[in-house]
Amino acid sequence: MGIKIYNTMTRSKEEFVPLKPGEVSMYVCGPTVYNYIHIGNARTFISFDTIRKYFEYRGYKVNYIQNFTDIDDKMIKRANEDGISVKELGDKFIGEYFKDADALGLKRATVHPRATELIDDIIDFIKDLENKGYAYNINGDVYFDTTKFKDYGKLSNQRIDDLEAGARIDINETKHNPMDFALWKGQKPGEPGWESPWGVGRPGWHIECSVMATKFLGETIDIHGGGSDLIFPHHENEVAQSEARSGKPFARYWMHTAFLNINNQKMSKSLNNFFTTREVLQKYDPEVIRFFMLSGHYRTPLNFSPDLLEQAKSGLERFYNSIHNLEYLLKGAKDKDMSDTERELYDRIDTYEDKFIEAMDDDFNTADAISVIFDLVKDVNTNLNADSPKVLVQKALKKIRDLGKPLTLLQKSTMGKLDDEVQKLIEKRQEARKEKNWALADKVRDELKAKGIELQDTPQGVKWRKI
Ligand code: AMP
Ligand code: ZN
């Protein structure tokens, strides 16, 4: 049994079979770089980052392409407002994107192409479409003729007749059919432009993704992803132009993330109901944000609210408190033989990995995967104590970290944070208790409390947490 993926194209879960054994080619639509990314965009990027890392965890080599849309109407408008060039605007917000992405632990893509750097490839692609009779030029604007592509509508499961009935051609547009879309736009005053066979102009939006996916990954790719707002028209148009040109299927699996909502409404720049990732990062640890996002399955809408982030924060703290206890036990653990029950636990730890894989193989169910790690943490915390053999404590800790890794969670060491002074106080109290010097033990406990450390005496030994 391998990985199963919900494919938007077939509206069903399918077994993942890569084009090349052991390799995954993945294209994810990136941001339009006219502003900071909001935390809704971040949900989509975190989801695909996790999917990519899970493939790597399962031993695949992943070729991952994510673009920057650095030329479109919004870019031009914003650059004019700010009195800078479109190029300067793009440079600035690509830099800002990487700051947020790095903070969130998003692994860099294999290539992050920019639309404006691939104008020649875009022109060649459009020329191919024109030669094959799929594109027409009207006074320097080139359109894709959707009526020529018989499968138009197959991704979003719509019939072209219904789509056309619901659409109309704007009075300023010259295209032949309502669903036709611009591949190339003739230059208007005040806009940047590039020389082309159709005159000076710039690419339409959809074309860049087809060109980049083809250039870096090939005419047929394994996975194409993005937020579900992109299914129509963006991805529908990508399918049309790519398959019209190559005559081959474009992407074998189409994956779409559900929205991050605010009050059950999609978070978006146009509705002005967004928080930038930057502002959320100022209030919350990036790992709390990731934990919050991955606590839901990527195809389930997720509501964003400060309360829910607070809940995520306490949830993550519970994991780290347990990890800390294990780190503490490990420091004092001795090399010795395991008892039968300890050996049972030693073997049982691996079964959590099986369950983790089962959850993640099932269309990347991070919510279930996190519950499995939680069960593992609970199991080892109840069953390990200061007498447990070192190999066992070591194995438990390593397994928790290994399972957290593809999610980019639980990798921090809590030990480093506890400074020597606190450590010494904890030991001093232990000594006092051994000597039944309760007054001193209580005094040390209060001293620790003043430093924000709370101790709990449990049958498994002393545990502590930050308060
Ligand atoms: P944009 O910069 O608007 O093109 O968006 C970049 C990526 O973020 C695309 O894949 C979008 O589908 C995705 N996206 C935008 N808004 C949301 C949202 N509220 N929740 C999840 N993903 C989103
Ligand atoms: Zn795209």
Side-chain angles (χ1 to χ4, degrees):
M1 286 290 282
I3 296 175
K4 284 216 174 78
I5 296 181
Y6 182 88
N7 188 350
T8 308
M9 184 68 91
T10 57
R11 284 162 286 280
S12 61
K13 261 189 221 171
E14 295 173 10
E15 192 175 333
F16 176 70
V17 184
L19 271 171
K20 281 193 210 153
E23 288 189 24
V24 183
S25 54
M26 233 175 131
Y27 183 94
V28 175
C29 293
T32 308
V33 282
Y34 71 107
N35 209 332
Y36 295 94
I37 57 163
H38 61 64
I39 195 74
N41 303 133
R43 179 183 192 193
T44 291
F45 301 138
I46 289 173
S47 300
F48 286 107
D49 177 68
T50 307
I51 290 166
R52 173 216 198 156
K53 286 172 180 163
Y54 183 67
F55 274 119
E56 289 170 348
Y57 167 90
R58 295 284 264 130
Y60 288 93
K61 177 178 176 292
V62 185
N63 241 326
Y64 188 90
I65 309 296
Q66 186 187 300
N67 68 310
F68 287 117
T69 299
D70 64 348
I71 177 75
D72 81 336
D73 291 344
K74 289 177 290 208
M75 292 288 299
I76 296 169
K77 185 165 172 276
R78 176 78 198 255
N80 286 341
E81 281 165 9
D82 291 2
I84 55 174
S85 69
V86 168
K87 164 96 174 66
E88 283 166 328
L89 181 69
D91 288 346
K92 171 170 189 269
F93 283 110
I94 287 173
E96 300 298 348
Y97 167 83
F98 280 127
K99 279 188 206 159
D100 290 335
D102 291 349
L104 289 171
L106 302 178
K107 184 172 172 181
R108 298 272 172 127
T110 316
V111 189
H112 279 280
R114 292 173 69 149
T116 57
E117 284 170 355
L118 292 175
I119 299 292
D120 290 347
D121 298 274
I122 291 174
I123 290 172
D124 287 347
F125 200 103
I126 300 174
K127 275 201 292 201
D128 288 347
L129 287 173
E130 206 178 25
N131 292 338
K132 291 187 179 210
Y134 286 103
Y136 56 90
N137 171 11
I138 298 183
N139 303 326
D141 290 330
V142 183
Y143 291 99
F144 184 91
D145 187 342
T146 46
T147 60
K148 294 258 166 66
F149 184 70
K150 67 174 178 26
D151 285 338
Y152 193 79
K154 71 174 170 180
L155 179 67
S156 53
N157 201 19
Q158 306 178 83
R159 292 182 46 231
I160 192 158
D161 298 346
D162 297 339
L163 284 167
E164 299 215 323
R168 60 183 181 87
I169 300 180
D170 191 273
I171 197 118
N172 299 316
E173 289 180 305
T174 49
K175 60 191 185 183
H176 294 165
N177 313 293
M179 299 322 296
D180 294 356
F181 55 91
L183 297 164
W184 187 262
K185 297 178 173 187
Q187 188 180 35
K188 296 200 192 83
E191 289 188 358
W194 289 262
E195 292 287 346
S196 83
W198 317 283
V200 177
R202 62 182 166 100
W205 170 33
H206 314 295
I207 193 71
E208 68 183 69
C209 292
S210 287
V211 171
M212 293 169 179
T214 307
K215 182 180 171 81
F216 295 104
L217 301 172
E219 287 175 337
T220 301
I221 67 172
D222 287 314
I223 295 174
H224 195 313
S228 41
D229 53 334
L230 300 186
I231 299 174
F232 188 85
H234 184 52
H235 289 164
E236 193 70 64
N237 292 348
E238 280 191 46
V239 172
Q241 63 207 1
S242 301
E243 298 192 355
R245 179 180 164 278
S246 72
K248 297 174 192 157
F250 178 37
R252 289 152 59 83
Y253 305 89
W254 284 90
M255 297 183 72
H256 293 98
T257 49
F259 295 142
L260 185 72
N261 290 333
I262 251 189
N263 299 323
N264 298 312
Q265 200 176 32
K266 181 198 172 198
M267 183 184 287
S268 75
K269 281 172 195 154
S270 54
L271 292 171
N272 207 21
N273 62 350
F274 66 92
F275 289 98
T276 61
T277 301
R278 192 64 56 89
E279 38 184 341
V280 182
L281 277 168
Q282 270 155 13
K283 295 203 189 99
Y284 291 93
D285 185 288
E287 197 173 344
V288 170
I289 301 173
R290 272 194 97 106
F291 185 79
F292 163 72
M293 299 283 189
L294 298 178
S295 304
H297 184 257
Y298 78 88
R299 281 190 295 113
T300 308
L302 191 63
N303 244 319
F304 180 84
S305 76
D307 278 358
L308 292 171
L309 270 180
E310 285 300 329
Q311 274 179 32
K313 190 173 167 201
S314 345
L316 188 63
E317 263 166 21
R318 277 202 296 278
F319 276 92
Y320 269 116
N321 283 335
S322 305
I323 288 177
H324 176 77
N325 285 325
L326 292 175
E327 286 188 321
Y328 184 70
L329 289 183
L330 186 62
K331 270 190 104 177
K334 305 241 162 29
D335 289 316
K336 56 177 166 181
D337 290 338
M338 283 188 274
S339 68
D340 286 350
T341 40
E342 284 165 347
R343 181 155 296 283
E344 260 169 43
L345 176 60
Y346 190 88
D347 293 339
R348 192 160 72 239
I349 287 173
D350 290 324
T351 65
Y352 290 99
E353 178 159 17
D354 299 340
K355 288 185 193 140
F356 175 86
I357 289 176
E358 202 180 305
M360 289 297 282
D361 272 5
D362 184 12
D363 196 28
F364 311 97
N365 195 333
T366 53
D368 283 0
I370 288 175
S371 307
V372 172
I373 307 179
F374 192 63
D375 291 344
L376 164 64
V377 164
K378 256 193 340 214
D379 191 358
V380 296
N381 265 291
T382 4
N383 291 302
L384 292 182
N385 57 47
D387 287 330
S388 302
K390 195 169 180 179
V391 273
L392 184 55
V393 185
Q394 243 164 359
K395 176 163 178 179
L397 248 182
K398 184 169 183 315
K399 191 63 78 187
I400 294 168
R401 302 257 196 237
D402 286 353
L403 301 188
K405 200 165 176 222
L407 310 177
T408 316
L409 295 175
L410 312 178
Q411 301 303 297
K412 282 186 236 160
S413 171
T414 57
M415 230 31 188
K417 278 199 209 150
L418 196 68
D419 55 40
D420 285 352
E421 197 190 345
V422 174
Q423 192 60 47
K424 274 197 193 113
L425 283 173
I426 292 176
E427 277 158 23
K428 187 170 162 191
R429 179 171 169 273
Q430 290 296 82
E431 281 299 305
R433 281 162 56 88
K434 250 191 223 155
E435 288 160 14
K436 301 206 185 324
N437 185 347
W438 308 118
L440 179 61
D442 285 351
K443 195 172 149 254
V444 178
R445 176 193 278 262
D446 291 345
E447 238 177 282
L448 280 164
K449 196 161 193 178
K451 291 183 189 297
I453 305 282
E454 188 183 77
L455 300 180
Q456 288 168 297
D457 296 307
T458 74
Q460 286 79 42
V462 184
K463 299 189 173 186
W464 70 269
R465 64 180 197 104
K466 282 226 161 84
I467 42 174

